[in-house]
Amino acid sequence: MNSEHPELMPDHPDIQAKVNGPFICLGLTFENDAARRSHFTEELRSRLQDPEFHKIEGFPIGSDEDILNLSDPPYYTACPNPWIADFIAEWETNKPASEVDAQHRYHREPFAVDVSEGKTHAIYKAHSYHTKVPHLAIVPSILHYTEPGDIVLDGFNGSGMTGVAAQWCGSPPPEYRRELEQKWQAEGMAAPKWGVRHCVLNDLSPAATFIAANYNLPFDVRAFSTAAKKLLNEVENELGWMYETLHTDGKTKGRIEYTVWSEVFNCPTCTEEVVFLDEALDDKSKKVADEFPCPHCTSILTKRNLKRHFETSPDKKLSDTWTHVTFRPVVISYKIGRKRYEKLPDEQDMEIIKKIQDRPFPVEIPSNRFPIEEMYHGSRIAPKGFTHIHHFFLPRAAQALGALWQKAKANADVRIRHMLMFAIDQCIWGFSVQNRFRAVTYSHANNYMTGVYYVPSSISETSPWYVLDGKIERLSKVFQSHYAQSASVITGTGSTAKLQLTDGSIDYIFTDPPFGENIFYADLNFLVESWYGVISNASAEAIVDKVKKKGLSEYQELMRRCFAEYYRVLKPGRWITIVFHNSHNAIWNVIQEALGSVGFVIADVRTMDKQQGSYRQVTSRHATKQDMVITAYKANGGLEDRFKLIAGTEEGVWEFVRTHLNNLPLFVINKAGQSEVIAERKEYLLYDRMVAFHVQRGVTFPLTSSEFYQGLSQRFSERDGMYFLLTQAAEYDKKRMKVAGVEQLNLFVSDEESARQWLREQLRPKPQTFQELHPQFLKEIGGWNKNETALELSTLLEQSFLCYDGKGEVPSQIHSYLSTNWSELRNLPKDSPSLVIKARDRWYVPDPNKAGDLEKLREKALLKEFEEYKETKKKLKVFRLEAVRAGFKKAWQERDYAVIVAVADKIPNNVLEEDPKLLMWYDQAVTRMGGE
């Protein structure tokens, strides 16, 4: 992967031997790589003739020939890859005996170490995609959870960074390797085991899998560089005249870098034409004015009051007419030698443009109609007249892009052909009318608005050389130092809900799934995929999209099915890491619920801090608009088998807790040198995980929360408000002595549940009076949920905590705090008058025995309120959420699922969707009622 390892260079003789010499693939020996490709292409062709093969969920839309042309079987197929299981079987067979033996001793804690994102790395930037996790953010996780030779899966591969990371583990740059080893050593972690991990990539999008495959398959870099330069030279020889312009001296020819086109409007007052940039752009400030005068009638114009000017022109691709908004060239930027100039288009420039417009439209430009009726962004482009792919390219850009694409696809070497397409396809958006002109920018290439179809009022039409000269050079340099091993990464195209994998065949999953309605992948990929002739099957896309009639429930079901496949193919006792770009609580809760419903147990939830380049623990379910990192595990077969025998018993509860504690982070140090409180080790989250584990397996849990807390304190060691196994506690104590202190949880108070947790965190270390707590409490409740009944502090305290009234001995919780912080109160008996005076009226967290009595009284009050909700005929606008949770829990225990569904219908949808506990009870009730 770097020049210090010449034997790993893509154009090193050893690699060339794989291309030109005997080649072994899936146990078959071929004369060379071309023979391998020919053999498996014919096998794929044969499979494509089977109608059942096309029925696999997520099968892309396209002809067999287009699928074959895009594929490089068996390593990459632009359809479901039928050889993935064969590769996995071969990889497992070839694992060293020591690694096979290590499988039986496998144990990992969640990875909770700061990582560098590396978004500026050249590999990351080699190809753009709508969203992707940098490979440098994935490498540490793969190293942590796997051994060399293990198999990693990413079913939503995007641009294939998980595959790049898996290979990077095998031959990292020495400097990176040294830095990571030093970092892990400083944090007390075992040294990473370097070595290539195998990787299976899958995505619904042919555009995504094509990018991923080309990132991860080897090719002759020098041959690519030569072919790319030759291609550009040929295009220049044929079409260079289109990009010539006369200098202002009227003699010297310049080479156009980009031409600025402005939309033409009509003045609402005089109806005369207004060329937008001519009037709105300030030449000195290079800014577009909000207001400007009409050049004809001096009326004050704004973008809002201007009327679009439409024109009708021949549509040569459709042999019809085309009505669209009007654009005119207003500025030409060109170079003579090394010097750059700008000019207004002159008569000769306009003649060249007219000459280009008269040419036949290139056959290579697709003429697919956008599925506007099913596109979220269809309403942005259709009103301007852009309804088909070819509408997105001005005549000169269409001629250039068509020639580039035609010559790239004509290359006889499949890998070079694909890499040429890899280089050119990322220019498709930038060559289109979506490329915005921005006067103040270092580059005018690829300035389109990401994540949306949008035709701006000012367009920058770039030349092929302006965009690709530097790109080709950068790609050659990047891939010269990035070695890809063909047998290490296998890629297929299809739905993650139907993977072509056997049960329990994957060692680790790292995945970045679609997140609700933030990115409309299938829509956005339609433009590029139309050039391939192979298009995403959007019906299988996991997304919230009102236009496609996919709501939150449809998204949840699709994600549940995808996670069910992940659960099926993952080995027992192994881990899944999910990077989730969260923006809505409802979507966030759906992801967690979908994970749990198929059997995964969440062990850690963190945010990825982009500015800090680190993972930070999430302590609130309201942590929105952040990149979340969820770590979950598939319980090993031993736990599942034991649990089936003791399900519904107390022992079943503690069997789960013991296993879960063993799978939680033990000790996490923040950047300030403090240890973090690990939220998953808090009693209330342990209780929630235990309940979820039972509910999702249809088992009644035998303990109330107070009984659970009491049993927890009796069976496990408590440190800093967290619970550990006995051996873990000893290790925690050793590490705790070496840090400055403990960083406390930063809880966001928004409802009764979070208010109780906040009070528990305040009172556990420091019993306080009402007067001391009240000012702090008022500061915390500013974001109280509007649907949640607001409770007084006194009510919260009375229902969950105890207050010392000055009678009898001072409770040990208060005594411990006072004797620690006041020297004069040390070594006094618990009934000492001076101690009693200081302790009187302080609220404190009761011990588990007394907490049980309080909890019973509180639950009785909550269930009484829930009965009122059951009887009311009205929709519930403001209510006590804890009462609904308590009622749902009781109804589920009694298998009264109809009550859960009935009350759920009375509360606002957003409340149900944004509360993970209610959502769990509701989904389970609906499932057990047969989906009614």
Side-chain angles (χ1 to χ4, degrees):
M1 191 170 286
N2 55 81
S3 57
E4 295 189 26
H5 294 277
E7 73 281 3
L8 299 182
M9 301 297 281
D11 52 359
H12 185 272
D14 288 351
I15 304 304
Q16 288 303 304
K18 291 185 177 182
V19 176
N20 301 320
F23 193 97
I24 299 175
C25 180
L26 290 177
L28 300 175
T29 301
F30 301 95
E31 183 180 353
N32 52 39
D33 194 29
R36 176 274 305 173
R37 185 176 289 112
S38 176
H39 170 83
F40 286 105
T41 297
E42 289 308 309
E43 278 203 8
L44 181 58
R45 187 187 304 278
S46 176
R47 287 178 183 267
L48 286 168
Q49 292 171 2
D50 180 2
E52 294 302 314
F53 187 51
H54 284 262
K55 292 179 182 178
I56 295 175
E57 184 172 349
F59 200 98
I61 301 166
S63 70
D64 290 357
E65 283 306 313
D66 283 329
I67 290 172
L68 289 168
N69 288 335
L70 204 62
S71 302
D72 190 0
Y75 303 120
Y76 164 56
T77 59
C79 61
N81 191 327
W83 292 283
I84 289 178
D86 297 331
F87 276 107
I88 289 177
E90 184 178 90
W91 292 337
E92 286 287 356
T93 301
N94 293 336
K95 273 187 178 179
S98 58
E99 299 298 339
V100 175
D101 183 57
Q103 304 289 333
H104 303 293
R105 305 189 307 273
Y106 181 87
H107 174 72
R108 297 290 191 280
E109 295 172 9
F111 184 67
V113 179
D114 288 352
V115 296
S116 170
E117 284 204 55
K119 282 198 170 185
T120 59
H121 197 281
I123 291 177
Y124 179 87
K125 295 167 68 176
H127 199 297
S128 58
Y129 195 65
H130 313 298
T131 59
K132 57 182 177 179
V133 179
H135 66 290
L136 290 181
I138 307 173
V139 170
S141 292
I142 294 178
L143 288 171
H144 174 78
Y145 289 109
T146 66
E147 302 283 333
D150 275 355
I151 304 165
V152 180
L153 168 66
D154 185 352
F156 300 100
N157 65 231
S159 61
M161 291 296 102
T162 301
V164 173
Q167 298 196 68
W168 185 278
C169 292
S171 51
E175 184 179 354
Y176 175 84
R177 176 172 180 160
R178 188 164 49 249
E179 288 179 358
L180 188 67
E181 288 176 347
Q182 291 173 351
K183 180 180 176 63
W184 283 23
Q185 183 180 15
E187 294 178 357
M189 296 177 62
K193 292 184 179 179
W194 300 100
V196 170
R197 276 67 168 172
H198 302 293
C199 188
V200 175
L201 300 177
N202 180 80
D203 202 284
L204 191 68
S205 164
T209 57
F210 182 72
I211 297 168
N214 282 289
Y215 254 123
N216 287 287
L217 290 175
F219 65 98
D220 187 327
V221 178
R222 290 177 183 169
F224 161 72
S225 180
T226 300
K229 291 173 182 176
K230 180 174 181 286
L231 183 153
L232 284 176
N233 288 334
E234 288 176 354
V235 172
E236 182 165 20
N237 290 334
E238 293 176 15
L239 305 180
W241 60 270
M242 296 183 181
Y243 294 90
E244 288 181 350
T245 188
L246 274 180
H247 188 39
T248 50
D249 63 7
K251 299 177 183 179
T252 312
K253 285 186 177 181
R255 186 184 191 186
I256 295 175
E257 292 202 307
Y258 59 89
T259 300
V260 181
W261 293 71
S262 173
E263 187 173 357
V264 178
F265 295 91
N266 289 107
C267 173
T269 303
C270 67
T271 72
E272 291 292 331
E273 292 183 3
V274 177
V275 180
F276 179 67
L277 277 187
D278 282 351
E279 309 306 327
L281 182 64
D282 187 306
D283 290 333
K284 292 183 179 179
S285 67
K286 298 296 183 182
K287 292 183 180 179
V288 175
D290 293 329
E291 296 182 348
F292 49 91
C294 172
H296 308 288
C297 69
T298 69
S299 297
I300 299 302
L301 304 177
T302 67
K303 191 80 173 289
R304 288 180 178 274
N305 66 22
L306 285 168
K307 305 296 182 182
R308 286 175 181 153
H309 181 82
F310 286 85
E311 64 177 271
T312 299
S313 59
D315 190 331
K316 297 180 181 179
K317 292 290 285 187
L318 301 179
S319 300
D320 200 351
T321 57
W322 173 36
T323 301
H324 55 92
V325 293
T326 301
F327 282 95
R328 289 188 187 149
V330 293
V331 175
I332 293 177
S333 176
Y334 61 101
K335 289 181 76 173
I336 298 175
R338 292 177 175 270
K339 195 167 183 180
R340 182 176 287 110
Y341 301 90
E342 282 190 359
K343 57 175 272 193
L344 300 177
D346 56 31
E347 185 177 340
Q348 186 180 45
D349 294 317
M350 300 307 292
E351 287 178 2
I352 291 176
I353 290 173
K354 176 66 169 62
K355 185 178 178 181
I356 298 169
Q357 289 174 337
D358 292 339
R359 286 167 64 96
F361 218 76
V363 295
E364 291 76 20
I365 308 292
S367 58
N368 303 33
R369 183 181 182 275
F370 280 98
I372 291 170
E373 298 79 9
E374 299 176 2
M375 285 176 58
Y376 181 80
H377 297 128
S379 60
R380 289 179 179 269
I381 56 177
K384 290 189 176 185
F386 297 91
T387 57
H388 292 68
I389 297 293
H390 62 283
H391 292 165
F392 270 66
F393 303 96
L394 294 168
R396 179 165 45 196
Q399 295 292 335
L401 196 53
L404 289 166
W405 196 252
Q406 184 272 326
K407 294 179 184 301
K409 292 189 71 174
N411 194 291
D413 186 316
V414 173
R415 281 302 295 125
I416 302 304
R417 180 198 314 157
H418 284 173
M419 284 307 301
L420 291 172
M421 293 165 64
F422 176 90
I424 295 168
D425 75 5
Q426 56 189 302
C427 304
I428 291 173
W429 279 68
F431 266 90
S432 77
V433 292
Q434 298 181 97
N435 194 42
R436 296 171 292 168
F437 168 69
R438 294 191 289 184
V440 184
T441 182
Y442 73 94
S443 172
H444 292 268
N446 295 322
N447 281 325
Y448 53 86
M449 193 177 294
T450 58
V452 62
Y453 282 111
Y454 173 71
V455 179
S457 294
S458 52
I459 299 167
S460 184
E461 179 207 4
T462 55
S463 77
W465 309 280
Y466 182 78
V467 176
L468 286 171
D469 270 344
K471 170 63 73 174
I472 297 300
E473 186 176 338
R474 289 190 297 274
L475 284 178
S476 299
K477 186 175 180 180
V478 166
F479 284 100
Q480 189 71 35
S481 61
H482 167 55
Y483 172 60
Q485 298 187 36
S486 59
S488 294
V489 180
I490 309 303
T491 308
T493 310
S495 172
T496 302
K498 195 67 177 178
L499 296 169
Q500 306 303 297
L501 296 169
T502 55
D503 296 354
S505 56
I506 298 298
D507 295 295
Y508 172 57
I509 298 171
F510 187 99
T511 193
D512 179 15
F515 35 101
E517 56 186 338
N518 287 24
I519 299 289
F520 300 89
Y521 291 95
D523 286 356
L524 294 172
N525 287 329
F526 186 82
L527 177 61
V528 173
E529 289 175 352
S530 293
W531 287 75
Y532 298 147
V534 188
I535 297 170
S536 299
N537 188 333
S539 63
E541 185 179 24
I543 193 172
V544 175
D545 189 341
K546 295 176 183 177
V547 180
K548 291 185 175 69
K549 296 180 173 54
K550 289 185 177 181
L552 191 64
S553 58
E554 287 80 11
Y555 171 75
Q556 180 177 0
E557 175 57 19
L558 284 165
M559 289 308 303
R560 187 201 65 76
R561 292 182 57 227
C562 291
F563 286 143
E565 274 293 86
Y566 275 157
Y567 190 84
R568 178 183 69 81
V569 303
L570 188 65
K571 293 176 180 176
R574 295 297 186 130
W575 293 86
I576 178 173
T577 298
I578 300 148
V579 176
F580 185 74
H581 308 273
N582 189 30
S583 59
H584 300 287
N585 281 327
I587 302 295
W588 168 236
N589 288 329
V590 159
I591 287 289
Q592 294 185 87
E593 170 60 18
L595 262 178
S597 68
V598 302
F600 282 113
V601 182
I602 295 175
D604 193 51
V605 180
R606 294 180 175 267
T607 63
M608 181 180 284
D609 187 333
K610 289 189 173 182
Q611 291 183 341
Q612 299 285 335
S614 65
Y615 293 137
R616 298 286 294 160
Q617 192 163 12
V618 175
T619 57
S620 169
R621 66 186 179 91
H622 300 274
T624 59
K625 297 183 181 178
Q626 300 178 68
D627 285 350
M628 320 295 281
V629 181
I630 311 171
T631 305
Y633 62 90
K634 178 179 179 177
N636 62 39
L639 171 63
E640 293 287 7
D641 292 342
R642 293 191 301 273
F643 189 76
K644 288 176 184 176
L645 297 174
I646 54 179
T649 68
E650 253 191 84
E651 183 52 35
V653 169
W654 304 122
E655 179 67 21
F656 165 76
V657 173
R658 279 190 290 271
T659 301
H660 190 54
L661 287 174
N662 197 42
N663 283 320
L664 296 180
L666 177 65
F667 196 83
V668 180
I669 302 176
N670 64 19
K671 286 182 176 285
Q674 296 177 308
S675 67
E676 290 183 6
V677 170
I678 299 165
E680 289 288 338
R681 289 189 178 274
K682 304 291 286 186
E683 66 270 71
Y684 55 87
L685 273 181
L686 288 171
Y687 178 72
D688 287 349
R689 298 298 184 214
M690 180 276 295
V691 169
F693 189 80
H694 282 69
V695 170
Q696 285 148 0
R697 285 158 180 77
V699 176
T700 300
F701 45 94
L703 301 177
T704 65
S705 59
S706 57
E707 291 169 340
F708 177 82
Y709 296 152
Q710 184 176 351
L712 196 66
S713 64
Q714 292 171 349
R715 290 171 172 81
F716 304 99
S717 301
E718 187 267 332
R719 299 288 190 276
D720 296 320
M722 300 176 286
Y723 286 87
F724 298 85
L725 300 173
L726 186 61
T727 53
Q728 290 179 327
E731 184 66 21
Y732 179 84
D733 290 339
K734 291 179 185 177
K735 294 178 180 290
R736 176 72 170 77
M737 293 173 63
K738 298 178 182 180
V739 299
V742 180
E743 179 187 27
Q744 297 304 310
L745 291 177
N746 183 21
L747 292 168
F748 179 76
V749 177
S750 60
D751 54 17
E752 181 178 349
E753 179 190 31
S754 54
R756 291 175 69 220
Q757 292 173 9
W758 180 83
L759 284 169
R760 190 179 289 110
E761 294 301 318
Q762 300 302 309
L763 295 176
R764 192 191 303 277
K766 180 185 178 181
Q768 302 173 58
T769 65
F770 180 90
Q771 290 75 15
E772 290 173 325
L773 279 169
H774 197 246
Q776 303 173 63
F777 182 72
L778 292 178
K779 292 179 182 178
E780 295 291 332
I781 61 173
W784 199 271
N785 292 342
K786 65 179 181 179
N787 297 107
E788 176 89 2
T789 300
L791 297 181
E792 296 291 336
L793 174 62
S794 56
T795 303
L796 288 164
L797 289 169
E798 288 165 3
Q799 291 192 353
S800 300
F801 304 93
L802 294 176
C803 183
Y804 176 57
D805 59 5
K807 298 177 182 178
E809 291 187 344
V810 174
S812 58
Q813 295 93 324
I814 302 178
H815 178 267
S816 175
Y817 166 70
L818 294 177
S819 62
T820 300
N821 290 277
W822 279 269
S823 57
E824 66 272 18
L825 299 180
R826 292 172 188 164
N827 302 318
L828 294 178
K830 290 186 177 180
D831 58 357
S832 168
S834 56
L835 189 64
V836 168
I837 292 171
K838 194 73 173 176
R840 184 178 296 142
D841 296 330
R842 289 183 183 269
W843 290 90
Y844 63 96
V845 178
D847 61 50
N849 292 325
K850 294 181 179 178
D853 296 333
L854 276 175
E855 191 63 29
K856 288 176 183 176
L857 291 172
R858 178 173 176 271
E859 187 170 7
K860 185 177 180 181
L862 292 173
L863 291 175
K864 182 179 179 182
E865 196 152 348
F866 182 74
E867 288 299 317
E868 296 177 9
Y869 301 159
K870 283 169 57 179
E871 298 302 322
T872 186
K873 304 296 183 183
K874 299 180 181 179
K875 289 281 187 179
L876 300 171
K877 293 183 178 180
V878 179
F879 49 93
R880 195 170 175 183
L881 196 57
E882 285 286 89
V884 179
R885 289 173 181 153
F888 279 15
K889 182 172 74 171
K890 181 173 183 291
W892 190 88
Q893 295 276 62
E894 295 173 351
R895 306 188 189 284
D896 193 352
Y897 308 125
V899 165
I900 295 175
V901 174
V903 175
D905 287 341
K906 298 177 184 179
I907 64 178
N909 281 338
N910 67 299
V911 175
L912 179 66
E913 292 167 352
E914 294 186 9
D915 188 276
K917 293 180 182 178
L918 294 187
L919 192 61
M920 177 184 71
W921 299 120
Y922 176 75
D923 284 346
Q924 290 294 322
V926 170
T927 300
R928 280 161 175 72
M929 290 177 67
E932 298 174 10

